[in-house]
Amino acid sequence: MCGGFLAWAFLAIRPPPPKICGSADGPPITAPRIKLRDGRHLAYKEHGVPKDEAKHKIIYVHGFDNCRHDAVVANTLSPEITESLGVYIVSFDRPGYGESDPDPNRTVKSLALDIEELADQLQLGTRFYVIGFSMGGQVIWSCLKYIPHRLAGAALLAPVINYWWPGLPANLTKEVYSQKNLKDQWAFRASHYFPWLTYLWFHASSTSARSPDNLSRQDLELISKMADRTNYVAQVRQQGEHESLHRDIIIGMGKWEFSPTDLENPFPNNEGSVHLWQGDEDVPVPVKLQRYIAQKLPWIQYHEIPGAGHLFPLADGMSDAIVKSLISGNEASI
């Protein structure tokens, strides 16, 4: 009986192997891809003006349970702004999502290096902009830490917060963490302390930007703008949930080598700017902790949007405001 239980427990915590794109039993490759330093591939998608004609080149980092097609800033940026500012945007599938190979050795640092290599292979120049949304916004902290010399500017849109980052006040993190639903609390806690249990715990969690528990009033109004996701949503997790969704949580809520609150200004001579955008009614990403981080980093331009939830980038005019403020370095009016 004991042996049977152990066998069940082993299978319960062991994720199935990923179905690699292009392999015999994996999904087909349909997107352009680059080959990285370790042999992995990153799939990408280009938006905006032709790269060779662009005045400003941006790498967009998608959020949790998304893919390269979910480049909300690129998809909703007005043609007027795209053309007048000469904006080129490239979005890509983060490892394990869409058609990018999984990275079982992924770290907080490795994705920043993937972004740098994507820029180099696409010949985006010595400096480029980065914009990240939600879990992709969290990745921008890594870019500010590990590749600041390559950045022309950065925008973090409702970046996910790791409740175990050093430097965050214990009383404040405890307060906002206790407000999350219990399933999410246990999933995050397991990912941080027992990452090998993430596969088991994740199936009991409602962690998703589109879970009804995580939608604000504005989110419920904006979610209809995501209707076209039905055309590609099957691609998001097609290689398996563990190397996409679960790996995101393991890295995002794991032990980091640094805290965003300790970062130094990457643009001491005002040659670029960093912007943090946050809705004050965001459910999955608590505004109280975002305010604290912004206060600790006075060189960040903090934009708090009244009445906005987690999906605020979908609101009319938001992408224009985000891109204009990033490129100009000055706060754009909303």
Side-chain angles (χ1 to χ4, degrees):
M1 184 174 179
C2 181
F5 173 77
L6 291 176
W8 172 87
F10 177 76
L11 292 174
I13 65 175
R14 184 185 183 186
K19 295 183 178 180
I20 308 297
C21 284
S23 64
D25 62 343
I29 298 169
T30 64
R33 307 200 304 176
I34 64 164
K35 189 172 184 179
L36 296 168
R37 60 200 175 278
D38 58 1
R40 290 181 295 113
H41 296 85
L42 279 188
Y44 65 91
K45 181 178 181 179
E46 297 174 294
H47 318 255
V49 302
K51 181 173 56 180
D52 295 339
E53 301 174 12
K55 299 176 184 176
H56 305 284
K57 298 169 184 176
I58 300 172
I59 295 180
Y60 179 86
V61 189
H62 69 74
F64 180 78
D65 203 10
N66 284 182
C67 70
R68 67 188 183 280
H69 299 302
D70 292 300
V72 59
V73 171
N75 295 338
T76 61
L77 191 65
S78 69
E80 293 77 16
I81 294 297
T82 302
E83 296 295 332
S84 64
L85 296 181
V87 177
Y88 163 90
I89 301 177
V90 59
S91 56
F92 67 99
D93 291 330
R94 293 195 283 113
Y97 282 106
E99 297 181 26
S100 287
D101 293 338
D103 183 5
N105 300 314
R106 181 179 155 195
T107 64
V108 173
K109 183 178 181 178
S110 65
L111 189 49
L113 300 182
D114 287 353
I115 289 172
E116 182 178 34
E117 193 166 354
L118 176 67
D120 288 340
Q121 292 205 32
L122 295 183
Q123 299 181 329
L124 300 190
T126 56
R127 289 182 180 268
F128 49 88
Y129 298 92
V130 288
I131 299 177
F133 171 54
S134 192
M135 192 65 82
Q138 191 187 65
V139 173
I140 304 304
W141 292 124
S142 298
C143 293
L144 292 168
K145 171 67 175 180
Y146 296 113
I147 59 168
H149 57 290
R150 300 301 307 275
L151 304 181
L156 303 89
L157 315 181
V160 168
I161 290 173
N162 182 325
Y163 298 92
W164 291 271
W165 277 335
L168 295 181
N171 61 329
L172 188 57
T173 55
K174 182 178 181 181
E175 175 191 343
V176 297
Y177 191 76
S178 66
Q179 294 170 1
K180 302 193 74 64
N181 68 62
L182 289 176
K183 290 181 180 179
D184 287 355
Q185 288 186 39
W186 279 106
F188 290 162
R189 190 175 286 117
S191 298
H192 181 78
Y193 293 107
F194 311 105
W196 45 274
L197 280 177
T198 302
Y199 174 71
L200 177 63
W201 276 111
F202 198 90
H203 290 282
S205 172
S206 63
T207 303
S208 170
R210 291 173 298 280
S211 167
D213 292 341
N214 285 331
L215 296 177
S216 72
R217 289 173 297 176
Q218 186 201 51
D219 292 336
L220 291 171
E221 297 172 358
L222 293 175
I223 199 166
S224 62
K225 294 190 175 186
M226 303 174 68
D228 64 339
R229 292 194 85 240
T230 56
N231 297 324
Y232 59 83
V233 68
Q235 297 180 29
V236 175
R237 311 180 189 181
Q238 64 183 354
Q239 298 185 88
E241 293 186 0
H242 186 67
E243 289 299 338
S244 52
L245 309 186
H246 305 174
R247 187 72 62 185
D248 251 4
I249 300 296
I250 291 171
I251 299 298
M253 295 298 157
K255 296 178 181 179
W256 283 41
E257 299 172 352
F258 71 95
S259 171
T261 58
D262 296 329
L263 289 174
E264 297 181 355
N265 185 357
F267 308 113
N269 300 315
N270 296 319
E271 65 273 32
S273 58
V274 181
H275 300 256
L276 198 164
W277 297 77
Q278 176 70 34
D280 70 352
E281 294 185 5
D282 192 320
V283 178
V285 180
V287 68
K288 286 185 177 181
L289 284 175
Q290 217 73 279
R291 288 172 184 160
Y292 179 84
I293 293 172
Q295 290 168 0
K296 294 287 288 184
L297 303 174
W299 43 269
I300 280 186
Q301 295 190 35
Y302 180 58
H303 311 254
E304 188 171 305
I305 311 166
H310 195 64
L311 302 181
F312 72 84
L314 288 167
D316 293 343
M318 275 308 312
S319 292
D320 286 6
I322 290 165
V323 169
K324 285 193 295 184
S325 67
L326 178 61
I327 289 175
S328 69
N330 298 316
E331 188 167 340
S333 60
I334 299 174

